[in-house]
């Protein structure tokens, strides 16, 4: 009897033990992290972009040794500094008014007896020509011109005449155009001297005629003497225009003169 009732009890115990084992295998314990964190699928690894290639340094590389100061690359060619260009000269224009007088000293000696038209004439400026205190033509500048008209003294009438004008000024190695009014020179009149010659001839003739023939002879002698005196005047020319070197002249500008002055 005793064996019969123990068999069902044993079977029930085995059944309970089997159920407990299946439950323990189906559900992992609450404290197991590996079982709880298992992923359903394995994710593919992320794509990593290639790192950019380093560019060349803009400046020469430097290297350091320990804590010493960086050493510069001395292989580079040093920069050459060009000298600064000199400043360009500036200039301005100055105008000398028409009618300005220029005191001159004649350099070329002249005579109406030997001069001819277009004979060159030179003179030296004795005082600088200035405008507002600025010298436009310096003292000592040479003025160059020519004879424009010349006439010798006549045998009977007409006095000698000489005319000139200046057209250029030279100074500092340059020649500048200008225009002056004509300078005219005329010989002195000789009418009084001619009258004296004629009178002296008539007086001498009258004396000689009086000695030879009385009163009538004196009148005839005076006429003859006067004719002789007149002949002497006809045979002699009057004075010529003579201008020695160093003669003082004054030239006058006939037109405005514009000059470029360097600063």
């Amino acid at each position: 009897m005793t064996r019969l009732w123990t068999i069902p009890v044993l079977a029930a115990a085995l059944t309970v033990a089997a159920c407990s084992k299946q439950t323990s295998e189906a559900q992992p314990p609450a404290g197991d992290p590996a079982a709880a964190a298992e992923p359903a699928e394995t994710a593919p690894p992320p794509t990593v972009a290639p790192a950019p290639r380093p560019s060349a340094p803009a400046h020469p590389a430097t290297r350091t040794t320990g804590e010493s100061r960086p050493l510069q690359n001395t292989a580079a060619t040093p920069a050459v500094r060009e000298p600064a260009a000199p400043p360009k000269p500036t200039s301005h224009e100055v105008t000398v008014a028409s009618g300005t007088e220029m005191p001159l000293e004649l350099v070329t000696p002249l005579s109406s007896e030997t001069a001819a038209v277009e004979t060159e004439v030179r003179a030296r400026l004795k005082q600088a020509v200035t405008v507002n205190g600025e010298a436009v033509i310096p003292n000592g500048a040479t003025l160059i011109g020519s004879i424009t008209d010349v006439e010798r003294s006549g045998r009977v009438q007409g006095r000698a005449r000489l005319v000139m004008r200046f057209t250029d000024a030279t100074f500092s190695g340059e020649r500048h155009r200008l225009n002056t009014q004509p300078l005219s020179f005329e010989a002195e009149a000789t009418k009084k001297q001619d009258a004296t010659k004629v009178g002296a001839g008539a007086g001498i003739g009258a004396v000689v005629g009086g000695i030879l023939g009385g009163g009538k002879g004196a009148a005839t002698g005076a006429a003859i003497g006067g004719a002789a005196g007149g002949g002497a005047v006809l045979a002699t020319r009057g004075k010529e225009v003579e201008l020695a070197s160093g003669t003082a002249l004054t030239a006058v500008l006939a037109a405005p003169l514009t000059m470029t002055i360097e600063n």
Side-chain angles (χ1 to χ4, degrees), residues 100-110 119-125 137 141-148 163-170 175-185 243 247-255 257:
T100 300
E101 296 184 351
M102 296 182 292
L104 305 175
E105 181 182 26
L106 188 64
V107 175
T108 308
L110 298 171
T119 297
E120 184 180 86
V121 180
R122 289 178 177 261
R124 184 179 299 107
L125 187 64
I137 304 179
T142 300
L143 268 66
I144 303 173
S146 62
I147 300 295
T148 59
V163 183
M164 72 181 80
R165 72 184 184 93
F166 296 95
T167 57
D168 296 271
T170 61
R175 189 162 180 158
H176 305 272
R177 297 286 297 177
L178 53 80
N179 187 21
T180 68
Q181 297 178 5
L183 282 170
S184 180
F185 300 87
L243 301 176
T247 300
L249 309 174
T250 301
V252 180
L253 282 178
L257 174 63

Side-chain angles (χ1 to χ4, degrees), residues 64-220:
T64 58
T65 56
E67 296 181 357
S68 62
R69 298 175 60 185
L71 301 178
Q72 297 292 335
N73 185 359
T74 58
T77 303
V80 178
R81 181 175 298 176
E82 297 182 358
K88 295 182 179 180
T90 58
S91 60
H92 63 282
E93 291 186 346
V94 178
T95 299
V96 183
S98 174
T100 300
E101 296 184 351
M102 296 182 292
L104 305 175
E105 181 182 26
L106 188 64
V107 175
T108 308
L110 298 171
S111 171
S112 60
E113 185 176 6
T114 57
V117 175
E118 296 185 357
T119 297
E120 184 180 86
V121 180
R122 289 178 177 261
R124 184 179 299 107
L125 187 64
K126 296 170 62 177
Q127 182 179 344
V129 178
T130 61
V131 175
N132 297 328
E134 185 175 25
V136 180
I137 304 179
N139 181 24
T142 300
L143 268 66
I144 303 173
S146 62
I147 300 295
T148 59
D149 189 18
V150 60
E151 185 176 344
R152 290 192 64 185
S153 176
R155 293 182 182 275
V156 178
Q157 60 182 359
R159 291 181 289 177
R161 188 163 59 96
L162 192 65
V163 183
M164 72 181 80
R165 72 184 184 93
F166 296 95
T167 57
D168 296 271
T170 61
F171 55 90
S172 302
E174 297 182 356
R175 189 162 180 158
H176 305 272
R177 297 286 297 177
L178 53 80
N179 187 21
T180 68
Q181 297 178 5
L183 282 170
S184 180
F185 300 87
E186 196 171 47
E188 295 179 1
T190 59
K191 290 182 179 180
K192 291 183 179 180
Q193 296 179 5
D194 294 343
T196 301
K197 291 178 182 178
V198 173
I204 294 173
V207 172
V208 173
I211 294 174
L212 296 177
K216 185 177 180 180
T220 303

